[in-house]
Amino acid sequence: MNLSAPTQIVFIISLVIAIIGILAALGVFAFIPLASVWIVLVAYIVLAAGCLMRGA
């Protein structure tokens, strides 16, 4: 299995999701019903999938 760098759009999507998770942890987004840990985990999974799939 070869790893490749994620595309810029996948990186930006992952970064936006991670920032939303951090802001949820700080209480800025209190209306989000998920724990902030899960939101940041989704961001990491998106980034890992972008590294694993070529051309994604």
Side-chain angles (χ1 to χ4, degrees), residues 16-56:
V16 167
I17 295 172
I19 289 172
I20 290 171
I22 292 170
L23 290 175
L26 296 174
V28 176
F29 293 133
F31 58 87
I32 297 177
L34 295 173
S36 59
V37 174
W38 294 113
I39 298 171
V40 174
L41 181 68
V42 168
Y44 181 74
I45 290 171
V46 167
L47 185 61
C51 289
L52 291 174
M53 291 186 279
R54 186 174 305 238

Side-chain angles (χ1 to χ4, degrees), residues 1-20:
M1 172 179 14
N2 293 332
L3 296 177
S4 61
T7 59
Q8 187 175 7
I9 190 71
V10 170
F11 179 76
I12 290 172
I13 290 171
S14 173
L15 184 66
V16 167
I17 295 172
I19 289 172
I20 290 171

